[in-house]
Structure formats: C-alpha cells, structure tokens
Amino acid sequence: MTPCMRLYCDLVALRKLLLLLFFISVLLVCVRSDSADNRCLSSLIFTCEDCLRRGPECAWCSQERFLDGAHVSQRCGSVSDLRVRGCEEAFIQNPNVKVKVNATVGSSQVSPREIDIHLRPGGEASFVVEVQQLERYPVDLYYLVDVSASMQVYLDRLKTAGLALSHLMKEHSSDFRVGFGSFVDKPLSPYIDVHPSKLLNPCSDYEVNCRPAHGFIHVLPITHNMTEFTRVIQEQRISGNMDTPEGGFDAMLQAAVCQKDVGWRPEAKHLLLVMTDQPSHLALDSKLAGIVVPHDGRCHLEDNIYSQTTTMEHPTIAQLAEKLLENSVYSIFAVDQVQYRWYEDLLDLIPGSYVGPLVSKASNLKDLVVQAYKRLLSDVEVQIGLEDGQAQRFQVNVSALCPDGSTVSGNTKCSGVRPTQTVSFKVTVGMMGCPEDGGDRDVVMSVRPVGFNESVSVRIRQSCVCGCAQTGLCRDDPSSSDCPADTSSCRAHRGAAVCSGRGLCKCGTCVCDSSRLGHIYGKFCEMDDFSCPYVKGRVCGGHGRCVSGECVCLSDWTGESCDCPVSTESCVSDDGLICSGWGKCVCGKCVCDDARRSGAFCEKCPICYSSCQSHWSCVRCHLSKGLGSDAVQLCNHSCAPAVQYVDDVSGTTAQTQRETQEAAVRLNELCCCSDLLRGKHCLYPSSEKCQHRFLVDLASDRPQLHISPHPVCVWSRRYLKTFLSTFLLTVTLGIGMLAVVRQLLRAGNCSWQSNPDPQFDHSRKNSYVPTTNEKTITYRRDSLPNLPVEMHAHMPKKPLSDAWQ
C-alpha cells in the first residue's frame, strides 16, 4: 500500500469515527432531555396518580383555572415549571421523600430500632443503622449430633469434651448454657431398611443394639446444669440408615424455629453446633420417598419428636438460611475432613455460619467451638428482609463503614470487629413503582444484623394517591352534557376568531389544539410557549412565562429571555465590593470599566501597576496642567486618587533609592522574578526628540509617581558623545576585520600555487587531455545508433603507488 493510499484510508477511518461520536453525543443529549425534561410530559396523563408515577420530579397542579383550554396532561410537570406557568404553591401536589427516626425505643446493640419512610415512585431515601458489639454476651449452645453408626467415635468424645468446653467458654461469656438434640434421616424407604426387624434395630446384622432411625429428637433443653448434660450424653445410643446423606437440614430448621421447646434465651447469642460426617439431603431428595409437600418453615415437635418428618420435604437452603436469620442463630458445622469442602460451599448461602474440620476422635472439638465463636462475633453483617411479593418494587443498596475506616458500596459485612466497636451501615431504599391495585398501604422492611437478637423495623409509606382527591381536582374531565351552541364566550372580541383559530369551543369554553412545537393555552387559546426565545433548551430560560410571544419574567429575573438575575450576589468579590469596585454587574456578570482589567470580579490587571505606558495619560495630564495641587483634582479622570505627586524625580533621595533597591533584592531572592521590583524607571515621549523621566514607586499599596519636569532631549551632549563613541568604535572594528580577512586569503593563495597537481593543466579550464598512462574505453548502446553515447574511463597502467613515485 502506497503512502497516499494509507493516508486516504486513515482519513476515511477518522471521518467514520467522528460521525460515530457525533451520533452518540446526539443520542445521549436526546436521552438526557427525554429523561429529565420531558418525562412529565405525556398526552396519556389524565389524573394526578398518573403524573406521580412518571417520576419523583413530576408534580400535579390542582388549581381550578390553571391553563384554561390546555390539555389535562399540562397539569403535570416539574415544580419549577408549574410555578412558572402560574400554579400557586398551595395547589401543587408533590409528595416529598421523608425519613423519620423513632429515637424513643432504646437499644444496646442496634440503633435506631424504628424508622418511617415516605416514598413515591422513582424516589429514594437513605438512613444509617449502627451495630455495636458488646464485650461479653450470654451464650446458648445447642448440640445437634448425627447419631448414625459412623458417628460412634465422635459421640464418645462428646461425653468428655462437653464439660471441658463449658469451662473454656466461661472465659468468653458471662453466662454459658447448653442443650442437646439428635438426628439421623427420614424413616422411609429408600433412606432406611423398612424390614420390620430393621425398623426396631437397624444394626441387627452386626449384633449391635441400635435405636430406630428418626428425623429429629429434641433431647435436652438449654440448661446450665452440666451434670444433667453429661448424663444425657452418656445415655445416647447410635442408630443407622442406608444411604450416605443424612437429614441434617430437617433437624436444623426445627432446632431454630422451636424456640420455646429448645429454650433459646432472647438476650443470649444462639450457637447451633452441628456434628456430622456426611452431607445433608436437599429439598428435592424427598421425592424419592414420594414426599411432595414443601416444608412450611414451622415448628412441628410432638413429645419432643419431629412429627412431620415423613410428610414434608427437606427445607431448601434459602428457607433454612431465612429461619436461622429470623431466629438469630449462628451455625457451626463440625464435620469430618472428607466432607469439609461440601459444607464450606454453604458459607456463602447461609449467613452467620462457620465450618471446621474434626480431627481424629474429635480431640479439637472445644477449640473448634471457641474459635468459631470468636470468628462469628468478629464478623458483623446485616440482611435486608421485605414482605413477600414486594421485593420487586423496591431497590435496596447497603454500604458498610467499618471501624478501620474502609467503606465499600454494596458491602453488607465488616470483619475483624472487636468488642465495643461500632459498625455503621448506610441503607438506601428506592421505590420503583406503585402496587398494581393502586393502593398505598404500608410495606414493612427489616434490617437485621446476623446473629443479633435486635433488628431495625423500617415502615415504608407509599405516596401513590394524591391529596387532592377530595376536592375533585386530581382529574380534569370536562362534562360532555348538553351545552349551548353559542360561541361568543369563546371569542376575545366580536370580530375575533373562535378560540383565536387554534381550538374548539365546547360548552362555552375553548379547548386548545395540541401542537408539536409546544403548548397552546389561555382562555381564548391566545397564548403559547413556542414563540418565545429559548435559553439552554428551556422557554424563557425556565424563569418566566411566555405570554403572547413575550417572556414575562419572575420577580428575581429580567431580560428579554429572563436569563439575567436581578440580584448582584454573583458579582460580589471577597472584599464585599461589586466587581472589586472596578466594574458593573450586568446580567449576573462583571463588566469591567477599565479594558485592562479581567477576571470574574475585575480583580486581575497585570499591567495596571507595572507598565510604563499605563501611566502615560496621567503624566501627560500633569505636564499639561502643571504639578501643583490643583492638578490633582483636574487629573482624577486619568490618575488613581491614591497616587501622590512630586515635582522632580530627583526628589527621591539616595536613601530612598537604596531602600527601594534593597527591598527589590530581597524580593528577587524570595520570588526569583525580576518583574516584582518595588520601583520602576520610565520615560514619557513628550515630543519627537525629548522625553520626560518618571518613577513608578511600588513601595506602598498603591503606586506613586515621581515625575521630572525637565525633558531629556536626544541631541543633548550626553547623547552626542554616546553616538560618536559608538560610531568610531564600529568603524575601527570593521577596518580591523577586513585586514584580517585579506591576510588569510593571501596566505591561502600562496600555499595553493606552491603545490600544483601534475595531472591537471590549470591553463585549460574547459578541456581534458588523456595522458600516456590512461586508456580510453568506449561504450555504445544499440538502441540509439544515430546518436552514440560514449563513456571514457581512464585506467592507469601502473599501480597507484608507482604513479606517486
């Protein structure tokens, strides 16, 4: 590909890219305009409820005579737009988003406890929930043990480890209590052997007396009596089943929801320790036994035995996680190392859970429980709960502010929290739509810290119904009953057209036409909003009404387009002056009186105090008016009032000059800039040949001029001496340079003639004669016989070394 073709291809690609960027920008502008400005404008809006559902920026005007003749949809718009169009504040239906915190309900761990939120479609509200860890909690630990035959070793270890764990936990808890329950599996085929002999003793083939299989048996309620706990553990016998998975999830749900039977204390931390060496059955596994009834999530204990184990499915993981959270239960899985990975995958699905491997004979059981307890308390996490069927209408975002200062949006958990530290959660709730039935009943949302027995109740009050319903102005449906045919009331005057020719007369009232250019309204359809100037895409800049093609501005705005604020606050500089005292405030912006000044407040003037020419008008005035005291008043128009004048620049004494120079040196050392000198000597050309000297002294806040009345002329003796000296020096240097160049040329000519080249005859400049040591070779081209071309090559017969000898 040639460079020209490559350049052409690059230009074509650049053109396509620019076109693509242009269309994308136009699309973004259109989308932004549609989402921001035109969302409230739709011909499908007939009621106040329809308007509010368009978005949080939309409001409804219920004023009776609002926009006579306009379509009912024109009652919907932004609050500022409705005000501009003449709707009074009292008639604007615009439910605001409100957050009300009930601080009367006390709490030791979670605050606040109750919050009321008023939301409307498209609106959102934010609040903060604080969770504090206490130093020592009461703890309830419930052992839920798999008593299948393979768990015999672990069950024996529990008989001795339970008491040691009780003593160890007293170091971390103010009141430690324990309970016990057991599980195997659903006593149905194919989970167990249903032979009559195996139903009573599943271990009959091994000559071991085992207990029958069961779904869940609650053995010992939560108690502080460790002697009773040890006795119960000693009495436990193993059981048996046929398949590998067990019914652990069935038993966990019952242990969590049966609070009264288990004896969970409201003020304590609830730990559910699950000991097993196999995974658990999941919900759909129950269909193998013909069970199709989903679990209802309720407690079904009869005589401390789970009564629905053969009629209800296993709970789903989500259902189990919900019930554990609802009852403030932490889950600790102490499992065999082979099944560790299976239970580890559950940690993300079950909040407030921990898994630890059991080593040989469960020798690490007590250390595992203590480590799990510390880990669970150091993780502070919140879960959001909404009523069934309402979650799709709300959007919730949570951001956690951890004690270490880290903040991550969308993070609902902080790790490594120590006792007495507080974690803050910012919760933002957005309402995406109203209920389909159009009601506005309250929706309850809960913010529940995992494992805590306290939570936050958030009552969401939905603003889906307007307050103007009782007045009948939430909708504007004119009656179509019999009306007189007279149209005189629809004319501005007798000779005028009906409804100004831009509407229809119905029942003596004009119904204006709709236009793509804008809105037509008014009693006689004489008004519109598309014949007025637009500023930033809004009629009259959004600060006025368009009446008969002219902008009628609000009280705080003026101008043809209502784009100029009346207030001068935007022009006030830091010193409290308008435009720093050097300009006027025009349309909210400073217009400087002096063309040399610039900046938003006319505060910049880089040449005002440093340029000599900026003071010429002042010097000219004083030279013409005189340097007396009267000249100060006469020259005020060209000199600043703070300028002081002296008769002669020589009046600056040597001490003053020395002080000025010393100050200049210090400033140069600090600023490294020669432009910041405290004084500057200048010249003013009073005539063609003479100039006046003056000094700009910057030693004070304002410059002082020291003007010399005696002109300095060009042809004075001082300048004549300077001119003659410069002229003579220039002539002398020129003659000397010419002599040096001539000598160099003569020396070079002599050396060139003393060593002539023996092979060249310098007397014949335009000819060449071959010597005897050269041979002529002629080349001819056959293509041009009439004009042969000859080329001569001169070949020396002797070596070059011989030729130079």
Side-chain angles (χ1 to χ4, degrees), residues 407-466:
T407 303
V408 181
S409 178
N411 185 21
T412 62
K413 181 179 180 180
C414 287
S415 300
V417 180
R418 297 189 300 272
T420 70
Q421 288 186 336
T422 301
V423 180
S424 298
F425 295 93
K426 181 181 178 182
V427 183
T428 302
V429 184
M431 180 178 172
M432 294 180 289
C434 290
E436 296 180 359
D437 56 4
D440 58 351
R441 67 180 185 86
D442 297 345
V443 176
V444 178
M445 182 183 75
S446 64
V447 181
R448 183 180 297 276
V450 177
F452 284 73
N453 53 16
E454 299 176 2
S455 63
V456 182
S457 177
V458 182
R459 184 172 297 275
I460 304 175
R461 304 184 185 275
Q462 306 174 88
S463 300
C464 295
V465 178
C466 294

Side-chain angles (χ1 to χ4, degrees), residues 376-421:
L376 291 173
L377 259 65
S378 66
D379 293 340
V380 179
E381 181 181 5
V382 296
Q383 293 289 322
I384 306 298
L386 276 167
E387 296 180 9
D388 295 339
Q390 304 296 330
Q392 71 276 6
R393 295 195 299 107
F394 295 92
Q395 185 176 9
V396 183
N397 182 46
V398 182
S399 298
L401 176 59
C402 301
D404 59 359
S406 61
T407 303
V408 181
S409 178
N411 185 21
T412 62
K413 181 179 180 180
C414 287
S415 300
V417 180
R418 297 189 300 272
T420 70
Q421 288 186 336

Side-chain angles (χ1 to χ4, degrees), residues 324-340:
L324 291 173
L325 177 64
E326 184 179 310
N327 293 276
S328 307
V329 176
Y330 287 115
S331 303
I332 303 176
F333 296 101
V335 299
D336 186 81
Q337 291 184 347
V338 178
Q339 305 300 332
Y340 180 83

